[in-house]
Amino acid sequence: MPEKVLIYSRFPKAQMERFGERFELLNAAGKAPNEVFSADQLASIRALITAGGTPLRAEAMDMMPKLGAIICYGTGYDGVDLAAAAKRNIAVGHSPGANAASVADIAVTLMLAATRRLLVADDYVRAGSWAAAKPSPMMRPQAGMLGRNIGIYGMGEIGRKIAARVAAFETEVGYFSRSKHDVPYRYFPSLDALAEWCSVLMVAVRAGADTHHAVDANILRKLGKDGYVVNISRGSVIDQPALIAALTDQTIAGAGLDVYAKEPHAPDALTALPNVVLSPHIGGHTLESHVAMQNCVLANLDAFFAGKPLPYKVVLG
């Protein structure tokens, strides 16, 4: 008999196919498990798969008294109450670095689209304004990449890959993270100092209590009127109302965002702005990334059911 695994978050069916070949899946599809399954059904659940950003609190864990493993599909685990899991001896796993290359790619894409005003340029062509030689202040020459100071907030797997990519554009790269790393980039002692120095701030830090609204009105002011912010981390890292205000009054020049405070809802005040490029949290959404993340999930589940330590266990610190 295959082991039973609860699908806690809502996932596209295609992303769960490989798991269904190995395990008996009980799909809660983002609903509270006890709204979909009986107490008897939940009593036998020993492992579940969740999206790292989906809130997973103690009360949900208590619905499954035999739960021993929470496996996050992706690198993030900010939605999981780690203290509650530890108290219940529940191991938490994730997919570290599995989507790093794809997320770094979207970060660079958003940076280029924002700084070169690609969406405005696209509309300028489609609307016939270019053919009509219609003047537009938005089409004035913009600063290119050559010699730009690119600041990276967070120097984990994704931060390193972003740094390598932007360095190829003949930029100067600096970073701030909780600790200094052995990387060929300039280290700054604080986020404030990094924002003062750079003209593009790439947010690639892990979400958590210590990074909640770390990019606030003060940081945006330090970034300045020629500065851009790109966020591929979590929406919680940026104070979204402060960002909207900074974009509206041109405290900063623009932004590129793949994540938002309350997904999947981007507020009208944000979508109406011409100086922001938006994507629907697709940073890790490539074929290669999904295969890599699924490999990590399967490895974690196989190890757990075999009574072995998770190979991709969440490690704090």
Side-chain angles (χ1 to χ4, degrees):
M1 289 288 290
E3 298 281 1
K4 295 180 180 179
V5 175
L6 179 83
I7 307 301
Y8 184 77
S9 302
R10 185 175 183 178
F11 291 100
K13 289 183 179 179
Q15 291 177 18
M16 298 293 106
E17 284 181 1
R18 291 179 66 194
F19 309 140
E21 294 169 0
R22 301 269 286 277
F23 306 103
E24 180 183 343
L25 303 182
L26 282 73
N27 193 354
K31 297 181 180 179
N34 61 354
E35 293 180 7
V36 183
F37 302 106
S38 68
D40 286 344
Q41 288 175 302
L42 295 177
S44 62
I45 295 296
R46 296 174 57 210
L48 65 79
I49 299 171
T50 184
T54 302
L56 178 50
R57 308 302 184 215
E59 56 269 23
M61 300 177 198
D62 289 339
M63 295 175 193
M64 294 158 275
K66 292 185 179 179
L67 185 65
I70 294 171
I71 309 301
C72 299
Y73 187 108
T75 185
Y77 48 81
D78 47 296
V80 180
D81 186 334
L82 298 178
K87 184 178 180 181
R88 291 160 177 76
N89 295 314
I90 300 171
V92 181
H94 64 144
S95 311
N99 62 7
S102 296
V103 176
D105 287 346
I106 206 72
V108 174
T109 300
L110 288 168
M111 176 188 72
L112 293 173
T115 59
R116 296 300 299 271
R117 296 183 175 174
L118 189 60
L119 297 187
V120 173
D122 179 89
D123 183 67
Y124 188 72
V125 175
R126 292 177 187 272
S129 299
W130 186 38
K134 185 178 179 180
S136 169
M138 292 294 286
M139 294 306 299
R140 289 194 298 264
Q142 302 298 306
M145 285 296 108
L146 180 64
R148 266 191 190 270
N149 292 342
I150 310 296
I152 302 174
Y153 177 28
M155 192 50 70
E157 288 289 332
I158 293 172
R160 292 174 192 232
K161 290 185 180 296
I162 291 174
R165 283 157 172 73
V166 298
F169 289 99
E170 301 177 79
T171 64
E172 297 295 325
V173 181
Y175 74 99
F176 166 68
S177 64
R178 286 181 298 179
S179 57
K180 191 174 182 179
H181 297 271
D182 185 18
V183 292
Y185 313 115
R186 180 177 173 183
Y187 175 73
F188 286 81
S190 67
L191 181 56
D192 291 67
L194 182 67
E196 286 269 20
W197 173 82
C198 70
S199 66
V200 178
L201 178 63
M202 297 283 208
V203 181
V205 73
R206 189 174 296 283
D210 58 331
T211 60
H212 183 77
H213 286 186
V215 179
D216 56 13
N218 174 59
I219 295 297
L220 294 170
R221 280 193 299 271
K222 290 181 182 298
L223 191 56
K225 62 182 182 63
D226 296 321
Y228 294 81
V229 62
V230 174
N231 190 12
I232 46 73
S233 169
R234 285 283 195 260
S236 63
V237 180
I238 295 182
D239 181 339
Q240 190 165 278
L243 175 62
I244 292 170
L247 289 165
T248 301
D249 64 19
Q250 298 182 352
T251 296
I252 63 172
L257 306 173
D258 189 46
V259 290
Y260 310 89
K262 293 182 179 179
E263 296 180 1
H265 305 290
D268 291 344
L270 196 58
T271 60
L273 294 169
N275 54 343
V276 60
V277 179
L278 310 171
S279 57
H281 203 152
I282 57 171
H285 195 49
T286 63
L287 295 174
E288 298 85 356
S289 287
H290 282 298
V291 169
M293 289 186 285
Q294 290 161 16
N295 289 343
C296 290
V297 170
L298 287 169
N300 275 329
L301 288 172
D302 286 342
F304 170 72
F305 287 124
K308 300 177 181 178
L310 303 185
Y312 304 107
K313 185 177 181 179
V314 169
V315 178
L316 301 178

